Amino acid sequence: MTGPAVRVDTTGPVPPYEQIRAQLAALIATGQLAEGERLPTVRQLATDLGLAPGTVARAYRELETAKLIHTRRGAGTRAAALPSEPQQPDPAQLARLARDFASAARALGADTEAILTAVRKALE
């Protein structure tokens, strides 16, 4: 992976595996991580981020379940091709992401209106 680095805030309310999953999913969805581009091994990314390998493995498993990456013995873990048709988001995953964002924003001291304003701006 030669693209942008993944960063993890271990002091925040969002679990590290979810931060990794969300960042890699965004890199793949935006094309910053191209189809076929190799990702670091679980052990290497865990070492780079100062995390347990199981944390990175969980993020990779979730990305593989979402068909955003694929792993083959001897070929490593690579970014998968984006689906040609837009996918419908998983309502449970979307709700979890919204809860995580709201919790993180509240931890920063944001009230409901500030959170909604931030979301509206992000969607523009």
Side-chain angles (χ1 to χ4, degrees):
M1 185 169 97
T2 58
V6 173
R7 289 180 174 43
V8 174
D9 176 10
T10 57
T11 63
V14 179
Y17 80 89
E18 179 57 27
Q19 293 177 53
I20 296 166
R21 189 211 58 77
Q23 290 176 55
L24 290 175
L27 291 171
I28 292 167
T30 60
Q32 294 178 58
L33 193 55
E35 175 186 351
E37 191 168 345
R38 192 172 187 156
L39 278 67
T41 65
V42 167
R43 217 168 259 192
Q44 182 61 57
L45 188 55
T47 299
D48 292 349
L49 297 174
L51 299 171
T55 301
V56 175
R58 180 169 180 187
Y60 277 22
R61 274 193 310 272
E62 291 199 10
L63 289 165
E64 198 148 16
T65 298
K67 296 185 170 121
L68 293 174
I69 64 172
H70 54 84
T71 303
R72 282 195 352 226
R73 185 176 294 258
T77 301
R78 298 183 181 272
L82 291 176
S84 57
E85 295 180 19
Q87 293 181 322
Q88 292 299 320
D90 173 26
Q93 186 177 22
L94 194 56
R96 185 175 71 241
L97 290 171
R99 277 192 310 273
D100 290 346
F101 172 73
S103 294
R106 292 229 190 264
L108 292 173
D111 63 8
T112 300
E113 192 54 42
I115 293 169
L116 292 173
T117 299
V119 169
R120 284 187 194 103
K121 285 184 179 182
L123 292 172
E124 291 177 354

